[in-house]
Amino acid sequence: LYVGVPPADYGQRRGEADDVEGFMLTGNTCSVASGRIAYVFGLEGPVTSVDTACSSALVALHQAVRALRAGECTMALAGGVTVMAGPGIFLEFSRQRGLAKDGRCKSFSDDADGTGWSEGAGLFLVERLSDARRNGHRVLAVVRGTAVNSDGASNGMTAPNGPSQQRVIRAALADAGLSTADVDVVEAHGTGTALGDPIEAQAVIATYGQGHTWERPLLLGSVKSNIGHAQGAAGGASVIKAIMALKHGVVPASLNISEPSSHVDWDAGAVELVTESTPWPQVPRPRRIGVSSFGISGTNVHMILEQAPTDRADEADGPEEARPADGTRAEDTPAEDATAVPVPLLVSAKSEDALRAGAARVRDHIAAHPDVPLRDTAFSLLNTRAQLDFRGVVVAGDHASALGGLDALQSASPHPAAVTGTAGPARL
């Protein structure tokens, strides 16, 4: 159990409730927010309360994913909660001039004048995809990659840091084995502040915006414009929105945007604000969305979610915009798109030049045979080729990712899904 929970302000009201004396310690301590759930349900695995301010819920989900990968647990509850029992946060932020005058978040809008608070809870049940399939559990979405970092020594304790945001995005992509072009939408932090939104937008443009074209730009929005900033639970709201958008093939509108912020160079990369309900971009692969959550603590999180395999299998019965760009139905797409299980494409040779040439041949083969499942090509490369000293591997779950990684291998360029090296001595 991993729960993102900021400090509660019930303690400020203790003078109004003398009859709860003796309960204030366990009733107002963040650690007990998770401990009480574990006590009620008898959960005996890792149980943790997380407070990184506004990024708490997504940090909690990140920790749950890592615990599942490490085998610390087989199933986890993760998310965040915020309850405002008093006016303290309104008073404090008004003194910082950080509140919107009308209480509405105007994410990435030119007239953004501050945030607007909300409260709530968002909790997710997560397990390894293989376990979910074996147990017959319904899969809402797949977490492809996650990353967490900190602003460190930046331009201010509470000010966001653009380079750190870029780094956390790239780290999440590397964890997912994807490139910026493999993600269609970003659900941004987007609190509606005049300082934070332009910094975040520039970070998205500097990363995702460079991997897209204006024919198919990255779509950018924030649920805070719809429901306000739920603080420690904000990441939970963002993930819920992302899951529903993936499922229905529609990107909801971000509200309250008069004009895109004039403090952002929107021409520097192919990124477009979603100001009206928009059909999901037509792509011949699973839909993917990046989710960002940045804390006033300086803790940044980025997570990449992918369309659930069961949804892809049922896609033919969905809306027309959910189908690939070539008009095929879901059952007509290659087998790896139906499962999205990444496979290693191995290339080996006697020299670096030969390795690049071999990568080019494999790339040309995959491009010329889009109907051949990627796993069949991976199997042949592993079992029917000599294993020579100079080696490269591209980990990909679909044809587009494979072609991008092999292109990088061919040109000796860095790529999050491609690795090269030389064979060491054989070990018995």
Side-chain angles (χ1 to χ4, degrees):
L1 177 70
Y2 299 84
V3 178
V5 52
D9 53 4
Y10 295 109
Q12 300 172 7
R13 308 178 66 84
R14 69 172 13 168
E16 303 172 17
D18 293 337
D19 57 335
V20 298
E21 289 184 356
F23 297 95
M24 292 303 299
L25 178 63
T26 56
N28 202 52
T29 304
C30 292
S31 61
V32 182
S34 58
R36 191 180 300 277
I37 298 173
Y39 173 77
V40 170
F41 290 100
L43 308 179
E44 297 179 350
V47 173
T48 304
S49 292
V50 179
D51 180 16
T52 60
C54 310
S55 57
S56 297
L58 216 60
V59 169
L61 186 53
H62 162 83
Q63 291 184 345
V65 169
R66 295 303 167 114
L68 286 164
R69 289 182 178 178
E72 294 180 0
C73 54
T74 57
M75 187 178 289
L77 286 168
V81 58
T82 292
V83 175
M84 295 182 291
I89 194 165
F90 289 95
L91 296 173
E92 187 66 18
F93 250 68
S94 68
R95 289 169 183 149
Q96 293 186 13
R97 300 297 183 264
L99 285 181
K101 294 178 181 179
D102 58 1
R104 298 181 182 274
C105 293
K106 307 170 188 66
S107 306
F108 305 108
S109 179
D110 200 40
D111 59 354
D113 60 347
T115 198
W117 298 128
S118 64
E119 57 186 351
L123 202 62
F124 308 93
L125 180 65
V126 289
E127 63 181 332
R128 287 183 290 270
L129 180 60
S130 57
D131 291 343
R133 286 169 164 167
R134 183 171 58 253
N135 296 328
H137 294 158
R138 181 186 178 195
V139 179
L140 300 179
V142 177
V143 180
R144 276 295 298 262
T146 70
V148 173
N149 73 3
S150 174
D151 287 344
S154 59
N155 62 329
M157 175 65 215
T158 62
N161 183 277
S164 291
Q165 292 179 13
Q166 292 183 40
R167 285 193 291 270
V168 81
I169 288 171
R170 296 189 190 281
L173 286 166
D175 186 56
L178 299 171
S179 69
T180 53
D182 297 322
V183 177
D184 314 305
V185 182
V186 165
E187 168 60 21
H189 190 57
T191 58
T193 60
L195 174 65
D197 282 9
I199 292 174
E200 181 177 9
Q202 296 285 17
V204 172
I205 290 170
T207 51
Y208 286 110
Q210 307 310 305
H212 287 258
T213 64
W214 287 112
E215 288 72 28
R216 191 177 70 82
L218 178 102
L219 301 181
L220 179 67
S222 173
V223 74
K224 293 179 182 63
S225 71
N226 305 87
I227 67 168
H229 187 353
Q231 306 158 67
S238 295
V239 171
I240 291 172
K241 172 187 171 182
I243 289 173
M244 298 305 289
L246 288 169
K247 176 178 176 58
H248 293 287
V250 176
V251 186
S254 291
L255 307 181
N256 311 320
I257 299 176
S258 59
E259 293 290 338
S261 173
S262 58
H263 300 291
V264 177
D265 183 4
W266 295 102
D267 294 327
V271 173
E272 181 179 303
L273 287 177
V274 184
T275 57
E276 58 184 23
S277 183
T278 304
W280 199 279
Q282 297 180 6
V283 289
R285 54 163 173 74
R287 305 179 188 118
R288 299 190 185 107
I289 182 171
V291 181
S292 288
S293 198
F294 307 134
I296 200 172
S297 61
T299 302
N300 309 309
V301 196
H302 192 72
M303 185 171 294
I304 298 169
L305 303 181
E306 185 174 277
Q307 181 185 2
T310 50
D311 282 350
R312 293 200 296 277
D314 297 336
E315 196 170 83
D317 297 326
E320 188 67 28
E321 62 268 20
R323 298 180 186 171
D326 59 4
T328 59
R329 297 167 73 90
E331 61 266 32
D332 299 327
T333 57
E336 72 274 11
D337 289 339
T339 60
V341 177
V343 295
L345 300 167
L346 306 177
V347 183
S348 68
K350 292 184 177 181
S351 68
E352 291 184 1
D353 289 342
L355 181 67
R356 289 195 290 270
R361 288 194 297 271
V362 175
R363 190 238 183 257
D364 291 342
H365 170 80
I366 291 175
H369 300 88
D371 56 328
V372 175
L374 206 58
R375 63 174 180 266
D376 290 353
T377 303
F379 178 89
S380 297
L381 290 171
L382 176 63
N383 292 282
T384 66
R385 298 292 186 273
Q387 300 301 311
L388 304 176
D389 290 343
F390 290 84
R391 301 181 182 182
V393 60
V394 172
V395 179
D398 55 58
H399 280 70
S401 299
L403 294 176
L406 289 165
D407 279 339
L409 209 60
Q410 176 187 350
S411 60
S413 303
H415 190 279
V419 177
T420 60
T422 55
R427 295 183 180 181
L428 297 177

